[in-house]
Amino acid sequence: MRRTKEQAEQTRCAILVAAEALFLEKGVAHTSLEHIARHAGVTRGAVYWHFENKAHLFHELLSQVRLPPEQLAERLSACAERDPLLALRELCIEAIENLACNPQKQRIFTILLRRCEFTDELREAELRHAAFIAQFIALCEQQFDLPGVRPRLQPGMSPRLAARTLHALIIGLLHDWLRDPTLFDPLSDTAPMIDACFRGLVRDWQQA
Amino acid sequence: MRRTKEQAEQTRCAILVAAEALFLEKGVAHTSLEHIARHAGVTRGAVYWHFENKAHLFHELLSQVRLPPEQLAERLSACAERDPLLALRELCIEAIENLACNPQKQRIFTILLRRCEFTDELREAELRHAAFIAQFIALCEQQFDLPGVRPRLQPGMSPRLAARTLHALIIGLLHDWLRDPTLFDPLSDTAPMIDACFRGLVRDWQQA
DNA sequence: CTATTTACAGACAGTGGTGTATGTAACTAG
DNA sequence: CTAGTTACATACACCACTGTCTGTAAATAG
């Protein structure tokens, strides 16, 4: 029996939800479309109707949320008023806290970091991810290279190194926290850690 | 025709080499034992003779090298003379540089980070890895908590937060660099980045 | 020199997955 | 009201992979 458009959209969502759960539990490669269909209460026919194949399904799953690196890049390009470094600091903290408050983002980012193999099948998703990271680093570097900011860098620290350091710390924090959420509390511990990083990069770093 | 013991060991190595290359290229889950055997110039019979299954093969592949986190934990527990923080700094730098000079370690760490899905099949390897990370963080925390060190921490920075910050930076650096080796040069850029981190964690940080 | 074990190769059965093709009932456009 | 389309379910053909079993020649032990 054919469904109405709403119902169809509903099964599409159910398939995405099932895929998210199964990818997280068993990994992308070890999850078959049959598994996903069963878990969503449909058959593979429905899955193939809504999605071309597993790679496309994966891609649309990722499209549901803006990941932290993407958020950062987007928002950084927006606000340029105030102290650029303070703005950057707050965006970094906010991105991590935001992830900590959004379970779906946690799941999807966990899938990206620990439940999928970046091979040619998922190359598109990988490239997209890499592009956003490059964009983020470039924007960071740009912030550190502003005329009013650059002289504030510690001796021996270039804008590009500062940007790479900051990005590494953020990625490492996300990586560690998603692996073991008991390692630290994102809401209370993120700010001191990010501040420590800035303190090491910039001479006159202090906060209220 | 049966081989001598040396020859057998040789084919065992050939299988490991083939597995390493194929895991890196196509991911662990997408590499079959048939692929590995063919690539090594033998049949699956040989693979099953030397290894119980793919998970065990994977595990023995990892056993070939000490990964950076493991190295750190091992060496940190050894040397306790001198300034503990300087020793810690040098070990961190050395671990990253060491990875940069060892292509096999690069491949295996890349496989761990981006070419395998940590699901129940590989749970053993995952647990081992997690155990070493926990050990490293604990040792770092211990270093930062030494009576002569703890007062040197920046205000608002606890030993455990410092340890987690340092580990996140290292993991992030490795992750970023393995994803894109052009991001920075490990041999020249590692020290400034690690120093920046220490500078943000410790009050009186300066180097020669 | 014989018996036994080793180090594989090759074959087999079984499972599970993919992509596609077809069927079909119900929605929807005109 | 009826064509056409949509949203699937079902069936089919085909391949890939796994694990195991057997065969076997050569190394090795005694």
Side-chain angles (χ1 to χ4, degrees):
Chain A
M1 55 256 180
R2 182 183 160 205
R3 315 294 155 77
T4 172
K5 290 210 174 199
E6 305 177 29
Q7 289 174 320
E9 181 58 25
Q10 205 171 332
T11 71
R12 199 189 115 99
C13 287
I15 292 170
L16 282 169
V17 167
E20 186 183 302
L22 290 174
F23 286 168
L24 183 63
E25 183 191 340
K26 326 213 288 178
V28 175
H30 294 92
T31 300
S32 70
L33 297 185
E34 176 74 27
H35 288 147
I36 296 173
R38 263 173 162 44
H39 197 271
V42 293
T43 68
R44 257 172 54 245
V47 177
Y48 274 105
W49 173 256
H50 287 284
F51 307 95
E52 197 170 328
N53 52 36
K54 193 159 76 172
H56 282 70
L57 171 55
F58 180 76
H59 188 261
E60 300 224 11
L61 185 63
L62 296 194
S63 301
Q64 285 186 301
V65 298
R66 302 276 92 181
L67 264 13
E70 302 174 340
Q71 281 184 310
L72 281 172
E74 286 168 2
R75 305 201 40 178
L76 202 54
S77 54
C79 72
E81 72 286 10
R82 302 189 312 159
D83 180 352
L85 291 190
L86 271 180
L88 182 57
R89 165 192 182 268
E90 280 172 27
L91 284 176
C92 293
I93 295 175
E94 198 180 323
I96 297 182
E97 289 179 349
N98 183 287
L99 180 82
C101 295
N102 188 331
Q104 192 193 18
K105 279 193 187 183
Q106 289 172 35
R107 289 192 293 267
I108 291 185
F109 207 55
T110 301
I111 292 172
L112 266 175
L113 283 185
R114 322 192 58 248
R115 298 289 194 278
C116 74
E117 304 180 349
F118 286 111
T119 173
D120 29 355
E121 187 189 358
L122 306 181
R123 190 118 304 164
E124 193 186 355
E126 183 185 18
L127 289 178
R128 174 184 148 196
H129 197 219
F132 271 103
I133 290 178
Q135 187 187 350
F136 166 67
I137 292 185
L139 283 170
C140 276
E141 188 175 341
Q142 193 178 311
Q143 298 286 100
F144 283 116
D145 209 8
L146 288 174
V149 174
R150 194 178 171 136
R152 294 165 59 191
L153 287 179
Q154 294 272 3
M157 185 51 61
S158 65
R160 61 177 283 132
L161 268 193
R164 277 140 182 79
T165 306
L166 184 58
H167 178 262
L169 178 65
I170 292 174
I171 286 297
L173 285 176
L174 294 178
H175 203 276
D176 278 354
W177 183 70
L178 287 174
R179 189 177 41 77
D180 178 6
T182 70
L183 265 186
F184 59 89
D185 172 29
L187 295 183
S188 68
D189 295 338
T190 299
M193 295 166 118
I194 297 287
D195 276 324
C197 186
F198 273 101
R199 203 183 299 131
L201 298 175
V202 179
R203 288 183 181 182
D204 57 349
W205 190 260
Q206 82 280 3
Q207 80 275 14
Chain B
M1 56 252 181
R2 183 187 160 201
R3 317 292 157 77
T4 172
K5 290 210 174 201
E6 305 176 28
Q7 290 174 318
E9 180 61 23
Q10 206 171 331
T11 70
R12 199 190 113 100
C13 288
I15 292 169
L16 283 169
V17 167
E20 187 183 302
L22 290 174
F23 286 168
L24 182 63
E25 182 192 341
K26 324 212 290 178
V28 175
H30 294 92
T31 300
S32 71
L33 296 185
E34 176 75 27
H35 287 146
I36 295 173
R38 262 171 160 47
H39 197 270
V42 294
T43 67
R44 259 172 53 242
V47 177
Y48 275 104
W49 173 256
H50 287 285
F51 307 95
E52 198 170 328
N53 52 37
K54 190 159 78 172
H56 281 71
L57 172 55
F58 180 76
H59 189 260
E60 301 223 10
L61 185 63
L62 296 194
S63 302
Q64 284 186 300
V65 298
R66 303 274 92 180
L67 265 11
E70 301 174 341
Q71 281 183 308
L72 280 171
E74 285 168 2
R75 307 200 38 179
L76 203 53
S77 54
C79 72
E81 74 285 9
R82 301 191 312 158
D83 180 350
L85 291 191
L86 272 180
L88 182 56
R89 165 192 183 269
E90 280 171 27
L91 285 176
C92 293
I93 295 174
E94 198 180 322
I96 296 182
E97 290 179 349
N98 183 285
L99 180 81
C101 296
N102 188 331
Q104 192 193 20
K105 278 193 186 182
Q106 289 171 36
R107 289 192 293 268
I108 291 185
F109 207 56
T110 302
I111 292 172
L112 266 176
L113 283 184
R114 322 191 58 250
R115 297 289 194 279
C116 75
E117 303 180 348
F118 286 112
T119 172
D120 29 355
E121 187 188 359
L122 305 180
R123 190 117 306 165
E124 192 186 354
E126 183 185 17
L127 289 177
R128 174 184 148 197
H129 197 220
F132 272 103
I133 290 178
Q135 187 187 349
F136 166 68
I137 292 186
L139 283 169
C140 275
E141 187 175 342
Q142 192 178 312
Q143 297 285 101
F144 283 117
D145 209 9
L146 289 174
V149 175
R150 195 179 170 136
R152 294 165 59 191
L153 287 178
Q154 294 272 5
M157 185 52 62
S158 65
R160 61 178 286 134
L161 268 194
R164 277 141 182 80
T165 305
L166 183 57
H167 178 262
L169 178 65
I170 293 173
I171 286 296
L173 285 177
L174 294 178
H175 203 274
D176 277 354
W177 183 71
L178 287 173
R179 188 174 43 77
D180 178 6
T182 70
L183 264 186
F184 59 90
D185 172 29
L187 294 183
S188 68
D189 295 339
T190 300
M193 295 166 116
I194 297 288
D195 275 324
C197 186
F198 272 102
R199 202 183 300 129
L201 299 175
V202 179
R203 286 183 182 181
D204 57 348
W205 190 260
Q206 84 281 6
Q207 80 274 18

